[in-house]
Amino acid sequence: MIPVQGVENLTIAVLGLGRSGKATAAALAAGGANVVAWDDGADTREAAQAEGMTIIDLNRDEAWHGVAGLITSPGIPHLYPHPHPVIARAYMLGVPVDNDIGLFFRSYATSDFGEFDRIPKVIAVTGSNGKSTTTALIYHILRECGRPSQMGGNIGTGVLSLEPAQDGEVVVLELSSYQTDLARALTPDVAVFTNLSPDHLDRHGGTGGYFAAKRRLFAEGGPDRAVIGVDEPEGLYLAGQLATAPSDDRVIRVSAGQKLDHAAWSVFARKGFLAEYRKGRQIASIDLRDIDGLPGAHNHQNACAAYAACRAVGLAPRDIEAAFHSFRGLPHRSQLVAEIGGVRYVNDSKATNIDAAAKALQAFRHVRWIAGGLGKEGGIAAVAPYLEHVKKAYLIGHSARDFALEIGQTPYEISGTMDEAVAHASVEAEPGDTVLLAPAAASFDQYPNFEKRGEHFTALVRDLQTGSARRDSGK
């Protein structure tokens, strides 16, 4: 646990008592704060109270007497589509509102840093797609190269549940727009922006608000080095704002298709090869084509971003390359589940929007595409240019029939459920095909989250694999 600094003898309120809320309350108490808390769920409040927490109804003005700050969980709206009533009350009373990310950045550095041979560093990763894979890949590379490291934030461990810093450590954080939008302190040593595509627009009041939330990671305090994906206008704009001159190598530009040989420092992938350029000269190259854990152009962008971040903390190109080969990827993100009879089964359940699904579709040939769920605003018509490799679509969930109307001449069936989609795709698939789950939709019509959807797909494929093995053995 990282005790929160600057709260000794202060009364701090916590809104939301899920995993991050409880961890925040514990870290505040460890820092000497008097913690009071509230959650909208009666069962959650009762459970927290049974654990010894002080529960106060923060919907009442008298509950705010002496409260010096409110810490809210990231999932609770603080502005759009409208602030939670407790947060709105804090605004009216002039009480500062923060989240656990802001507390982490003001508490991670301690007086112990003066005794370390190497000052610990923080790498923070944000963006629309690929940030989890990029975060996990950076963490994997650091560990493979012998650097002490921890991973947390929106992936793995909550930030305040991480261990206190040790000599030479690198903490790698995945940060969502919900987390960066409100944090009052954002001071990573290296900040990474992967890309931007429309998502969570209701929460941020539109695309501009969504990008502004991401941009805060680079504008609040400013990192020593910024790794910026420049394949979208927003990334180009951000890189341009951060660089003070063409020769400014504090900005490392990253691309998954453009040759970037004129920037002061750049890392890009073209035709399966990663290249690093500094001041117009190539200084490293890596063949990404045979790295099983990083299939497709979208993962090549993740590889470039992770490579750049690791170079920014002093790792050597060949050490990074060696670590690439031992990376096995993350569950639900272009995860190769099995190969059965020459047919690959890939779980990309995390592809919940058009951009992510399009990138997954471009990564494979001869695709049998399982798609659908709870469709997002705008439908999936924009995915049409990426369907040339789709032999057939197997549509599931609430939006299956709507999706069928938007995929043009692509052969399809309304499978309805994951069980039917996997069963039919496996029967029709031929050697060389890839059965790809890339839903382009949310999961909430049939599953509590994308993880459960991916786990169901994986379990069905494992059953196919077991049946195939039995048939091969003659049992």
Side-chain angles (χ1 to χ4, degrees), residues 379-432:
I380 63 162
V383 83
Y386 308 102
L387 299 178
E388 60 179 327
H389 300 141
V390 176
K391 297 176 74 171
K392 185 175 179 180
Y394 303 80
L395 304 176
I396 65 173
H398 177 271
S399 298
R401 296 190 182 280
D402 293 335
F403 279 21
L405 298 174
E406 298 182 80
I407 59 174
Q409 300 302 309
T410 302
Y412 73 88
E413 68 172 62
I414 305 295
S415 300
T417 66
M418 186 72 74
D419 298 76
E420 292 296 316
V422 172
H424 294 175
S426 66
V427 168
E428 296 175 359
E430 301 171 326

Side-chain angles (χ1 to χ4, degrees), residues 2-3 5 106-116 164-165:
I2 296 175
Q5 298 184 43
R106 80 187 212 196
S107 303
Y108 179 65
T110 67
S111 58
D112 292 340
F113 276 32
E115 301 176 9
F116 292 152

Side-chain angles (χ1 to χ4, degrees), residues 225-226 228 246-254 260-268 275-281 283 307-315:
R225 280 253 158 64
I228 309 293
S247 60
D248 188 352
D249 66 358
R250 293 174 303 170
V251 177
I252 308 175
R253 290 168 171 80
V254 167
L260 304 175
D261 56 355
H262 297 298
W265 195 350
S266 62
V267 180
F268 59 89
E276 178 186 3
Y277 272 71
R278 297 193 74 168
K279 298 180 179 178
R281 295 179 59 250
I283 62 173
Y307 176 96
C310 290
R311 292 286 285 136
V313 296
L315 299 186

Side-chain angles (χ1 to χ4, degrees), residues 45 52 98 103 111 127 149 291 294 387 405 407 418 430 436:
R45 294 196 302 269
D98 204 349
L103 297 182
S111 58
S149 55
I291 299 177
L294 296 167
L387 299 178
L405 298 174
I407 59 174
M418 186 72 74
E430 301 171 326
L436 171 66

Side-chain angles (χ1 to χ4, degrees), residues 156-461:
T157 305
V159 288
L160 294 174
S161 296
L162 295 169
E163 294 299 318
Q166 58 176 300
D167 195 338
E169 177 181 72
V170 181
V171 170
V172 191
L173 302 179
E174 178 194 337
L175 299 182
S176 72
S177 59
Y178 289 12
Q179 293 170 310
T180 58
D181 198 16
L182 187 62
R184 295 172 70 92
L186 287 166
T187 54
D189 298 280
V190 180
V192 179
F193 176 84
T194 58
N195 50 55
L196 194 88
S197 61
D199 209 356
H200 308 304
L201 300 189
D202 58 337
R203 174 64 183 266
H204 296 293
T207 303
Y210 177 52
F211 175 56
K214 301 288 190 185
R215 181 181 176 275
R216 290 189 78 248
L217 182 61
F218 303 85
E220 300 293 322
D224 294 335
R225 280 253 158 64
V227 176
I228 309 293
V230 296
D231 288 335
E232 293 85 29
E234 293 85 359
L236 278 171
Y237 166 82
L238 183 57
Q241 278 213 317
L242 294 173
T244 58
S247 60
D248 188 352
D249 66 358
R250 293 174 303 170
V251 177
I252 308 175
R253 290 168 171 80
V254 167
S255 173
Q258 306 175 59
K259 185 176 183 179
L260 304 175
D261 56 355
H262 297 298
W265 195 350
S266 62
V267 180
F268 59 89
R270 293 185 71 201
K271 299 180 179 180
F273 285 86
L274 178 153
E276 178 186 3
Y277 272 71
R278 297 193 74 168
K279 298 180 179 178
R281 295 179 59 250
Q282 182 173 329
I283 62 173
S285 177
I286 298 174
D287 186 348
L288 301 174
R289 293 173 299 176
D290 296 326
I291 299 177
D292 292 337
L294 296 167
H298 61 305
N299 273 310
H300 293 175
Q301 182 185 53
N302 299 335
C304 289
Y307 176 96
C310 290
R311 292 286 285 136
V313 296
L315 299 186
R318 291 305 160 211
D319 292 336
I320 298 172
E321 180 178 9
F324 277 170
H325 284 278
S326 58
F327 182 65
R328 292 293 172 259
L330 287 178
H332 319 301
R333 297 162 177 87
S334 293
Q335 174 196 11
L336 177 60
V337 176
E339 184 169 331
I340 305 170
V343 177
R344 292 189 296 177
Y345 293 80
V346 175
N347 168 21
D348 205 339
S349 183
K350 183 63 170 63
T352 59
N353 60 40
I354 293 300
D355 188 60
K359 288 177 177 176
L361 289 167
Q362 292 174 79
F364 305 99
R365 299 290 184 271
H366 312 301
V367 174
R368 294 189 178 273
W369 179 34
I370 300 176
L374 188 60
K376 296 188 176 182
E377 185 178 352
I380 63 162
V383 83
Y386 308 102
L387 299 178
E388 60 179 327
H389 300 141
V390 176
K391 297 176 74 171
K392 185 175 179 180
Y394 303 80
L395 304 176
I396 65 173
H398 177 271
S399 298
R401 296 190 182 280
D402 293 335
F403 279 21
L405 298 174
E406 298 182 80
I407 59 174
Q409 300 302 309
T410 302
Y412 73 88
E413 68 172 62
I414 305 295
S415 300
T417 66
M418 186 72 74
D419 298 76
E420 292 296 316
V422 172
H424 294 175
S426 66
V427 168
E428 296 175 359
E430 301 171 326
D433 287 355
T434 296
V435 176
L436 171 66
L437 171 64
S443 60
F444 305 126
D445 57 332
Q446 295 178 317
Y447 303 92
N449 50 51
F450 74 83
E451 291 95 342
K452 291 299 182 184
R453 177 170 60 190
E455 288 168 8
H456 187 197
F457 173 81
T458 299
L460 293 170
V461 173

